[in-house]
Amino acid sequence: INTVLEREADGTCTLVTFEYEIDMSGYEDGSSSEMRKKEDGTEIPISKFSLSFYPHRLRGFAQLLKEVFGETSEHSLLPDFKRESDENHVPSYYVHVIKKNPRTLR
């Protein structure tokens, strides 16, 4: 996996891209694949793909959700998919759950 970070002049990260190469040995389906040379000199078929995402900050993303779904929407966080978090645990990610107020539905 190769990781590419795009940053603003002030160093703020604006985009993260993971570039993957998957070893397709044993999965050839007759389609042409890109080949990569291994350290021992043998070539293997690979498939490449990239996964890009915007690195939101927790407060900024929560505010964005309130702007989109309305100030009266109910917002809860699930750190690492858990309802409660140990205060010493630093979550890898947050799941945001939004329950829109039915009176504001359009």
Side-chain angles (χ1 to χ4, degrees):
I1 300 174
N2 182 38
T3 304
V4 178
L5 303 176
E6 293 182 22
R7 297 181 182 273
E8 294 287 332
D10 67 359
T12 303
C13 188
T14 57
L15 186 68
V16 177
T17 302
F18 295 139
E19 297 173 340
Y20 294 89
E21 283 188 359
I22 301 172
D23 180 347
M24 298 299 290
S25 300
Y27 296 100
E28 288 87 351
D29 62 359
S31 63
S32 59
S33 296
E34 188 173 338
M35 302 297 282
R36 181 173 52 80
K37 193 174 282 195
K38 292 173 49 173
E39 289 180 13
D40 64 4
T42 59
E43 288 194 338
I44 58 169
I46 60 168
S47 176
K48 291 183 174 185
F49 75 94
S50 297
L51 175 64
S52 297
F53 60 93
Y54 178 82
H56 291 283
R57 295 288 194 174
L58 187 57
R59 259 191 233 126
F61 191 69
Q63 181 58 39
L64 176 68
L65 292 172
K66 285 288 187 182
E67 289 171 13
V68 170
F69 293 100
E71 290 294 325
T72 60
S73 62
E74 183 182 322
H75 176 226
S76 56
L77 284 173
L78 302 177
D80 293 333
F81 284 104
K82 297 176 183 170
R83 290 232 176 255
E84 296 180 18
S85 180
D86 173 5
E87 68 181 52
N88 296 321
H89 174 73
V90 178
S92 297
Y93 52 86
Y94 292 91
V95 175
H96 295 259
V97 179
I98 295 290
K99 185 175 181 182
K100 190 166 182 177
N101 184 331
R103 286 181 244 173
T104 61
L105 290 176
R106 297 176 219 201

